[in-house]
Amino acid sequence: MESSTATGGGSTGGGGGRREATRQKLYEAAVTLIAEQGFSATTVDEIAERAGVAKGTVYYNFASKSVLFEELLRHGVGLLTASLREAADRSAKEGGGTVAALDAMIRAGLVFIDRYPAFTQLYVAELWRTNRAWQSTLMVVRQEAVAVVEGVLRKGVESGELSDEIDIPLTAAALVGMVLVAALDWQSFQPERSLDDVHAALSRLLQGRVGGNR
């Protein structure tokens, strides 16, 4: 999205690499424009101009503006899901338990949102719309992200580290939602705070230290 390094995996050289680079430019242009002026007000001409390509190039890569946006959502949430999974796997390799893995995912989520704020704003806004053509796709990719957190919670329950009274689906959704909303609040209303500071606050929530004296 906002960075050419965020392609979610390498492409083989040649035409495939060039096409991936073009699609990346279109994602970046679309996410910025739609965040600025909304989906309906953004035209394919504007996306092409912002990306520095011909209008025909947009249609060569995507059948329509709606398809472009649907693929943008899939691409972006896919990157977030990969970031969460990598954080959990890294924590496990380092010998961390369930809480450590969840904390690592919180930080990974904050890093992602800090890197792609425009996409995150769009994603959160679209979650609450029900009249979009891409709604079913959005629900699928959302569940993929939440499922990573569910997997870590489930392992924690199975190992006895977490209570078996935990509602795994709801807790996973709550953790993802906490990171999304807190990060957007941070960027919109408390931009002077550092990522480390925000992570520390959410980490305390995770570890149940808000109401205690520790």
Side-chain angles (χ1 to χ4, degrees):
M1 283 153 305
E2 286 95 329
S3 168
S4 60
T5 61
T7 55
S11 299
T12 55
R18 285 192 297 273
R19 186 175 187 189
E20 183 58 39
T22 298
R23 291 169 72 93
Q24 188 68 35
K25 288 181 181 179
L26 292 171
Y27 286 144
E28 292 171 7
V31 74
T32 303
L33 285 166
I34 295 169
E36 290 174 356
Q37 57 194 31
F39 176 80
S40 298
T42 300
T43 67
V44 171
D45 285 331
E46 289 173 321
I47 293 172
E49 182 179 358
R50 181 68 65 94
V53 302
K55 181 178 180 179
T57 301
V58 180
Y59 290 114
Y60 175 75
N61 286 275
F62 305 99
S64 66
K65 184 178 70 170
S66 291
V67 171
L68 167 56
F69 191 56
E70 181 174 350
E71 289 303 311
L72 169 63
L73 291 170
R74 190 189 301 275
H75 175 76
V77 180
L79 291 179
L80 173 59
T81 301
S83 296
L84 298 177
R85 185 177 293 113
E86 288 167 9
D89 290 346
R90 185 168 57 251
S91 178
K93 289 178 182 177
E94 293 172 353
T98 301
V99 174
L102 293 171
D103 190 54
M105 287 193 288
I106 286 175
R107 185 172 185 87
L110 291 173
V111 169
F112 176 89
I113 294 164
D114 187 47
R115 189 175 186 182
Y116 307 120
F119 172 78
T120 306
Q121 291 168 9
L122 284 177
Y123 171 63
V124 172
E126 290 301 316
L127 281 174
W128 300 104
R129 300 182 189 274
T130 58
N131 60 342
R132 300 297 206 190
W134 50 78
Q135 187 66 22
S136 60
T137 295
L138 185 57
M139 291 301 98
V140 169
V141 295
R142 171 211 167 270
Q143 183 53 39
E144 289 173 355
V146 173
V148 178
V149 184
E150 288 183 359
V152 171
L153 289 171
R154 190 167 291 108
K155 287 181 181 178
V157 171
E158 291 171 353
S159 68
E161 187 177 352
L162 300 179
S163 168
D164 59 7
E165 295 180 355
I166 287 177
D167 184 321
I168 291 175
L170 188 57
T171 302
L175 287 170
V176 172
M178 175 184 73
V179 173
L180 288 172
V181 175
L184 290 178
D185 186 90
W186 158 42
Q187 294 183 336
S188 298
F189 305 113
Q190 305 177 64
E192 72 281 358
R193 301 185 69 164
S194 69
L195 190 151
D196 287 340
D197 189 25
V198 176
H199 175 220
L202 297 187
S203 182
R204 283 190 287 273
L205 278 173
L206 172 68
Q207 297 173 37
R209 288 189 279 140
V210 173
N213 296 318
R214 288 182 291 169

